[in-house]
Amino acid sequence: LENRQRAAEAVSQTIKASLAHADLDVKKRAFAFITSSISSFLEKARRLDTTVAAAIRDALPALAQVDASQTAQVIANVLPDDVAGACQALAAKPSLQFVVLDELIRTDASVDDEERAVYVELLCDSAPHRVHAYLASHDGYDVEATLELCRRHRIDDATALLLEETGDGNGALDLILRGLGRRFEVLRD
């Protein structure tokens, strides 16, 4: 137990030292260190020690500020069984959480329904023009909750898609026609 705690502390301190450096290249070395040190841990133990995983999870916000794409790779490769914990670690910084979740979903990493719901909410805030395409090509979201979210954000194309999914084809058509009417009014003026 003492060896594991020392190893976790060494991992944590090395990551912190790398991320505290002014040089971006040194900061990016934290990703290579995590990958190589985890490979070493896994060779010996066959599974990642919880204290080491916690040290990496605690570093995720700082890692995401350096490179969100590589942070998503760390989550997918090093913490695949704890995507929920990783997302929770990033919750205080929604813009970083969005970029990391976006990368995880783009690369087909294992993301459960709860993280997908967080992703859809962040997508509505950060990239509303992408919501319809996402919903049309993915499952694993609560239709009613997502419908309410899309209505609240006034994302008409996604709202229409969800209305159609709930069986309200007339409501979807009405929403689309109202949207077209507004566009014609703008063109007419």
Side-chain angles (χ1 to χ4, degrees), residues 8-28:
E9 185 60 29
V11 168
S12 177
Q13 291 304 319
T14 303
I15 293 169
K16 285 178 185 174
S18 295
L19 294 172
H21 204 278
D23 185 353
L24 183 60
D25 289 334
V26 174
K27 289 180 180 186
K28 287 188 174 192

Side-chain angles (χ1 to χ4, degrees), residues 19 55-65 71 74-75 79 82 85-87 89-90 96 100:
L19 294 172
I56 294 169
R57 195 173 40 254
D58 291 345
L60 289 175
L63 289 167
Q65 286 182 319
T71 302
V74 165
I75 293 167
L79 302 170
D82 192 23
C87 287
L90 294 166
L96 292 176
V100 170

Side-chain angles (χ1 to χ4, degrees), residues 34-129:
I34 290 169
T35 303
S36 64
S37 65
I38 297 315
S39 294
S40 173
F41 278 110
L42 292 176
E43 284 175 12
K44 295 174 186 168
R46 299 232 188 254
R47 78 183 271 269
L48 189 58
D49 184 81
T50 56
T51 53
V52 174
I56 294 169
R57 195 173 40 254
D58 291 345
L60 289 175
L63 289 167
Q65 286 182 319
V66 173
D67 189 324
S69 179
Q70 285 192 42
T71 302
Q73 290 174 358
V74 165
I75 293 167
N77 298 330
V78 176
L79 302 170
D81 298 331
D82 192 23
V83 174
C87 287
Q88 189 61 36
L90 294 166
K93 299 190 184 262
S95 61
L96 292 176
Q97 186 182 34
F98 170 69
V99 175
V100 170
L101 273 170
D102 195 47
E103 184 69 18
L104 286 169
I105 287 171
R106 190 185 65 73
T107 58
D108 292 326
S110 178
V111 178
D112 69 20
D113 290 350
E114 188 174 320
E115 280 69 53
R116 287 186 188 281
V118 169
Y119 176 70
V120 170
E121 188 164 350
L122 293 168
L123 192 61
C124 287
D125 289 335
S126 303
H129 61 282

Side-chain angles (χ1 to χ4, degrees), residues 165-177:
E165 281 187 32
T166 63
D168 187 1
N170 289 335
L173 183 59
D174 185 49
L175 184 62
I176 291 168
L177 291 175

